[in-house]
Amino acid sequence: MGTSVKVTFWHNDEVQAKKIASAFFAEMERINQLMSPYIESSELYSINKNAGIKEVSIGEELYQLIELSIEIGNQTNGAFDITFASVGFLYNYRERINPNQESLLNNQALIDYRQIKLNPQKQSVLLTQEGMKIDLGGIAKGYAVDNAVALLQTLGVTSALVSAGGDTKALGKHGQRPWLLAIQDPRKKGKHAIQLPMEDEAISTSGDYERYFIKEGIRHHHIIDPKTGRSASEVQSVSIIGAKSVMTDALSTSVFVLGVKEGLALINQMPAYEALIIDKDRKLHFSNGLLAN
Ligand code: ADP
Ligand code: MG
């Protein structure tokens, strides 16, 4: 998944615990194989390869996640757009490459999740334009975390902490106490901005400090504003807290793009989700539900 996956859980039988851990990692890898845009045998790869050519029938799991991604696109006024990858692939953070003006202009029109055509009868997906690409990097890890926690529960685990990159979910408590989650200071490596107690809920953090490079004073990072094809620059970090990891993941990316005002307005009308934003001047902002506590 291009990130580190971690699980912590309690079990009183060591042999059994090892089996559970293997089942956990096998399940995470299964999702990676299905949803990675880089693995040539993945369903997602096949959808992208056939952009502008033909629809591709896929399994229910990926179909539903794409359907949900489109729904979130609608809810966020297009801030969440899995077709960002039509431009996103032109960035290479390790090699410090960002698209030049010309290729940006050429590809920008291909960012439009409304151009993804779903056919429920065939359970198929068509990217209507040649060159269009989708990438589920803003939602698949959250989905994988929910899925893995559910798996742990069916295996009898009642206390666990699961994380994939910036997406974490707490199952039950850590002994007698809630799990304690730290939010990274976006500009001071290894330092925490804030700590939060967590129990049976998920938290996702999107930041501009994980995958980035700075060129001519501009920070290029992996969260792309679909309207411009460039890295979103209003805030440094967004954390979303709520029941479902798949939602906290997608919403943290969305609010990062929307910025403080629109982002808080969005979260304040979703009773099940809360937001904590660190803006570009390092100021903290909280959604109404967090202010009330
Ligand atoms: P991570 O946990 O990988 O840091 P985030 O939740 O912060 O992920 O989301 C960043 C990822 O989301 C990017 O690496 C990319 O794959 C994807 N992404 C970037 N911009 C958008 C966007 N506007 N809409 C949907 N997904 C996006
Ligand atoms: Mg996210």
Side-chain angles (χ1 to χ4, degrees):
M1 295 184 182
T3 191
S4 63
V5 171
K6 285 186 204 156
V7 58
T8 308
F9 65 94
W10 296 95
H11 202 284
N12 46 25
D13 179 333
E14 196 182 334
V15 175
Q16 204 53 32
K18 281 187 176 151
K19 281 192 191 153
I20 292 171
S22 319
F24 168 89
F25 285 109
E27 181 60 9
M28 286 302 218
E29 183 53 23
R30 183 186 66 79
I31 293 176
N32 187 38
Q33 293 292 331
L34 193 63
M35 301 187 181
S36 166
Y38 309 111
I39 299 173
E40 294 192 12
S41 57
S42 80
E43 288 185 340
L44 191 74
Y45 190 94
S46 164
I47 294 171
N48 285 340
K49 204 177 70 182
N50 287 295
I53 303 170
K54 61 170 198 246
E55 60 186 356
V56 176
S57 286
I58 55 174
E60 197 178 0
E61 212 175 358
L62 182 61
Y63 185 85
Q64 284 180 355
L65 195 60
I66 292 174
E67 199 172 36
L68 176 63
S69 299
I70 293 171
E71 227 170 85
I72 298 172
N74 287 328
Q75 281 171 9
T76 60
N77 207 357
F80 190 80
D81 191 330
I82 55 176
T83 66
F84 81 93
S86 313
V87 168
F89 87 102
L90 297 167
Y91 288 85
N92 185 326
Y93 300 98
R94 204 171 300 157
E95 315 246 318
R96 301 172 59 83
I97 294 168
N98 57 296
N100 61 31
Q101 195 64 25
E102 196 192 338
S103 50
L104 196 65
L105 282 175
N106 285 339
N107 287 268
Q108 209 180 317
L110 299 173
I111 305 183
D112 185 1
Y113 69 96
R114 291 164 301 186
Q115 303 284 327
I116 305 171
K117 298 289 171 241
L118 296 182
N119 181 333
Q121 275 77 44
K122 294 183 180 166
Q123 206 169 275
S124 69
V125 180
L126 169 70
L127 304 183
T128 53
Q129 312 290 330
E130 193 189 327
M132 228 175 127
K133 291 183 200 313
I134 59 182
D135 184 318
L136 296 168
I139 192 168
K141 288 193 284 291
Y143 172 76
V145 166
D146 280 334
N147 182 66
V149 168
L151 171 73
L152 292 177
Q153 282 183 290
T154 65
L155 297 174
V157 175
T158 55
S159 166
L161 192 69
V162 171
S163 74
D167 306 302
T168 302
K169 193 173 194 179
L171 171 65
K173 288 182 197 271
H174 178 253
Q176 301 297 315
R177 299 194 190 134
W179 294 91
L180 208 53
L181 253 284
I183 295 173
Q184 168 71 37
D185 183 315
R187 291 294 177 272
K188 292 183 182 149
K189 222 177 184 164
K191 203 177 158 270
H192 299 156
I194 205 163
Q195 282 197 326
L196 298 168
M198 301 260 303
E199 187 180 337
D200 291 319
E201 60 194 337
I203 180 166
S204 294
T205 298
S206 292
D208 64 4
Y209 51 88
E210 290 286 356
R211 219 174 297 157
Y212 76 99
F213 60 92
I214 293 174
K215 208 155 112 184
E216 288 152 9
I218 294 170
R219 180 182 283 256
H220 300 278
H221 63 85
H222 65 154
I223 301 167
I224 305 295
D225 183 343
K227 289 203 176 80
T228 62
R230 298 175 197 276
S231 302
S233 57
E234 252 206 69
V235 304
Q236 296 182 351
S237 153
V238 174
S239 298
I240 304 287
I241 302 159
K244 283 189 187 175
S245 189
V246 70
M247 290 303 297
T248 59
D249 188 7
L251 289 172
S252 68
T253 309
S254 310
V255 171
F256 197 105
V257 171
L258 290 170
V260 177
K261 196 162 165 266
E262 280 182 63
L264 285 181
L266 173 73
I267 299 301
N268 283 335
Q269 49 146 15
M270 303 179 98
Y273 293 91
E274 300 300 337
L276 190 163
I277 306 176
I278 304 177
D279 72 17
K280 61 174 183 294
D281 302 315
R282 295 174 55 78
K283 210 178 141 222
L284 284 172
H285 302 264
F286 300 93
S287 60
N288 291 339
L290 290 179
L291 283 176
N293 286 325

